[in-house]
Amino acid sequence: MTVNKIIIDIETMDTMPSALILTIGAFAFDVTDLSATQQAIIDASQASDPTAESAFSFYRRIDSFNQLLSGRTVSIPTQQWWKQQGEDAQEALTGERVTLGLALSNLNKWLTQHKSAQIFFRGTDFDGAILEDAYRGSGIDCPWKYNGKRDIRTYIDAMVRSEKGYIKGHQPCFPIIEHHSLHDAMNDAEQMATAYMMNDGNTRPAKELKKVTA
């Protein structure tokens, strides 16, 4: 699959740019090929270890201790919000962790596979801003330029004339865990590719893929 778009999503313990980062997920795809995008999503969702990255998926759980020592922040409202989330979302945070610096370095290395791809976030003022702050604090070069972030919501709304950045009635092709950063990135990728297909009559139709069940 040719890659022309990358979506990055994070889960955090605050809403400020200084937020402690729990996980980083990213997904690379061809927005013009819904079928190939869905197949790559299904393959990634079925992987026994989500941290075993492929050319299309990236996922890291990040250790909190050194982040707290370095001054990254945790807010009480976000802590309370996490307590209200489902067991699957909380379970996705458990497992082997790496330092924030290593996770950011790993992300940079993964992104070099797709140097010409545009990078998207769900809104440019949250995930991207927090990661930029983390890169500065870790002394690691940010892999995108100051004007290099793109917004998933704007893309989808422009393509399908929606208003909230989602395709109404969209059903993911995989058993999604909400607030799992890789799953959220894959869900957004599928919606972007679907929006492209809906907007472009010349786009090849997607193959029928049965929805995967857990």
Side-chain angles (χ1 to χ4, degrees):
M1 176 171 62
T2 301
V3 169
N4 46 42
K5 311 292 183 193
I6 292 171
I7 291 175
I8 301 176
D9 187 272
I10 62 175
E11 297 299 334
T12 70
M13 288 299 295
D14 198 355
T15 58
M16 300 294 290
S18 58
L20 185 148
I21 301 173
L22 297 170
T23 63
I24 302 174
F27 188 74
F29 64 108
D30 180 356
V31 75
T32 71
D33 192 338
L34 176 58
S35 177
T37 296
Q38 288 177 319
Q39 189 59 63
I41 289 170
I42 290 171
D43 291 343
S45 71
Q46 293 178 336
S48 57
D49 180 7
T51 64
E53 66 193 52
S54 71
F56 308 117
S57 63
F58 176 94
Y59 185 66
R60 289 291 186 277
R61 304 181 193 94
I62 305 172
D63 182 68
S64 299
F65 182 72
N66 286 332
Q67 292 189 73
L68 290 170
L69 290 179
S70 67
R72 301 208 68 80
T73 56
V74 175
S75 72
I76 292 175
T78 305
Q79 286 180 306
Q80 293 173 338
W81 180 87
W82 271 109
K83 290 178 181 179
Q84 297 169 5
Q85 303 313 304
E87 291 183 8
D88 287 344
Q90 297 189 38
E91 185 177 340
L93 303 177
T94 64
E96 184 178 355
R97 297 178 177 277
V98 300
T99 65
L100 177 59
L102 181 57
L104 296 174
S105 295
N106 289 166
L107 178 61
N108 281 13
K109 183 178 179 181
W110 181 79
L111 288 170
T112 60
Q113 300 174 84
H114 313 297
K115 292 182 178 180
S116 62
Q118 291 180 313
I119 295 178
F120 281 75
F121 298 92
R122 182 160 280 281
T124 58
D125 57 350
F126 186 78
D127 303 67
I130 292 172
L131 283 171
E132 287 168 355
D133 185 83
Y135 274 111
R136 284 192 296 270
S138 300
I140 300 172
D141 289 338
C142 182
W144 55 85
K145 296 181 180 179
Y146 72 95
N147 60 350
K149 302 190 295 290
R150 300 291 183 268
D151 182 13
I152 295 163
R153 297 173 189 150
T154 301
Y155 182 94
I156 292 174
D157 285 346
M159 283 290 187
V160 301
R161 297 179 177 84
S162 55
E163 296 180 352
K164 297 184 178 180
Y166 293 96
I167 295 177
K168 186 176 181 180
H170 170 73
Q171 294 294 319
C173 68
F174 69 109
I176 185 173
I177 299 172
E178 293 184 356
H179 311 303
H180 180 305
S181 55
L182 176 56
H183 282 212
D184 286 347
M186 294 192 300
N187 184 38
D188 280 334
E190 185 180 12
Q191 289 193 68
M192 283 181 63
T194 300
Y196 183 94
M197 186 190 71
M198 292 168 65
N199 186 262
D200 186 351
N202 296 320
T203 303
R204 62 192 143 197
K207 296 176 183 176
E208 290 293 327
L209 289 173
K210 294 182 179 179
K211 184 178 179 181
V212 180
T213 56

